[in-house]
Structures are given as structure tokens and as C-alpha cells.
Amino acid sequence: MRRLVPCVLLLSSFALASGCATYTQDLDRARSHYEANRFEQALALFRVLEHDQDSFSVPERAQYAYLRGMTDYRLAELAPQGTGVADPRKGYRDNARHWLGLAAATEKLAPGGITSEQKNRLTETLADLNRDVYGGAEALPEGGAAPPSDAPASPEEPPSESEPSAPTL
């Protein structure tokens, strides 16, 4: 009986050690699905892994969030256009923005989880997704802020010294 306890402890420690590696292996498998354009399979694995993110290292968390967001983004491009609440594209794009925002924040706090190519793609994709929320900024002047609607189109000339200025209240 005394020999059985150490054997059980040893076997259970092996099981726990291999369990930690399983999350990383699942992340690698999901990455493989993503890279092979099998986005539905990748998303299924990402959803299973979502509750176990705390088992990842910080760089793996950044990779998870990046890949999850990009998977949702790609699925949004493939989804049929719906209407109102039943619009799968909007749902995927909302999820993509959430996960890519987490990836950017994680990478900012602990750099090294996302490659420079992925950072560029992340920035471009987030800019596209942010237009859904904030609207397009293409029409704004170079300063970034639009003049108020009641403001004159061009600034008025200051009154000359010979003209009396209007009294201020």
C-alpha cells in the first residue's frame, strides 16, 4: 500500500505536466487551422481554449488574442450579410475588435508575443474595425477635428481700429 501512494503521485504529476502542454498544443493546432484558412475549426479550438487562457504565458496570451481576433475578422469577410440583430458579419467584427484590442493591450504591456508583421496587420485591422464604431475619418481636415456646425466657414477678419468693436456681454 505504501508503494502505491508514491506511484499514484508520480503518475498524477506526469498527467498534470502533460495537461499544461496540451493547452499550448491546442493553441498551435488552432494556429495551424488559421494559417490553412480553416477558420471554423480554428474558432472552435479558440472557443474551447478561452476558459484556459490563464494557463498560457503572457506572449501566448497575446498570440491567442491576436489569432482569435484575426479568425473572427476572416470569418466576417466570409459570412453572408444579415439584417439587424441577425447579422453574423457584425457579430464576427465585434468579436474581432474585442480580441484584437486585447492582443494590442497585452503586447503593449509585455512585448514579444506578436511578430512585427502581425503588429502591422493588427494595426491595419483594428483601424478598419474601429471605423465601424467611430465612423470614417477620411473627411476630417488634417488637424483631426471638424469645425462645429455653427462655426463660420472661414475666420472673420478682426475689426480694424477705425471701426468700433461690438460690445461684449
Side-chain angles (χ1 to χ4, degrees):
M1 183 69 169
R2 286 187 170 175
R3 287 184 144 179
L4 185 60
V5 172
C7 288
V8 169
L9 290 175
L10 182 63
L11 288 175
S12 63
S13 67
F14 285 130
L16 288 175
S18 66
C20 294
T22 301
Y23 298 128
T24 301
Q25 290 169 349
D26 285 343
L27 180 60
D28 290 340
R29 194 171 324 122
R31 179 184 296 115
S32 296
H33 286 310
Y34 172 79
E35 290 170 353
N37 296 328
R38 292 188 306 261
F39 302 120
E40 293 87 2
Q41 292 90 339
L43 184 60
L45 275 171
F46 288 131
R47 287 179 175 170
V48 168
L49 285 171
E50 183 174 347
H51 301 291
D52 298 312
Q53 289 181 64
D54 58 343
S55 299
F56 292 139
S57 66
V58 176
E60 286 174 327
R61 284 184 204 152
Q63 267 298 302
Y64 172 87
Y66 170 78
L67 290 168
R68 171 83 187 258
M70 290 304 296
T71 298
D72 280 314
Y73 184 75
R74 300 294 185 218
L75 284 169
E77 294 173 346
L78 300 173
Q81 182 70 43
T83 58
V85 177
D87 185 2
R89 283 186 180 176
K90 181 176 178 352
Y92 284 129
R93 287 179 68 85
D94 289 348
N95 286 333
R97 185 172 179 269
H98 167 79
W99 287 108
L100 292 174
L102 284 175
T106 303
E107 183 64 18
K108 186 175 182 179
L109 290 174
I114 299 176
T115 66
S116 60
E117 180 182 321
Q118 289 173 334
K119 283 181 194 176
N120 292 338
R121 190 173 302 125
L122 172 71
T123 303
E124 292 169 5
T125 306
L126 267 177
D128 174 40
L129 294 168
N130 282 335
R131 281 190 287 276
D132 292 352
V133 176
Y134 301 114
E138 298 83 16
L140 292 179
E142 216 168 285
S149 59
D150 61 342
S154 62
E156 294 180 20
E157 301 256 341
S160 64
E161 290 183 22
S162 62
E163 296 177 17
S165 62
T168 57
L169 300 175

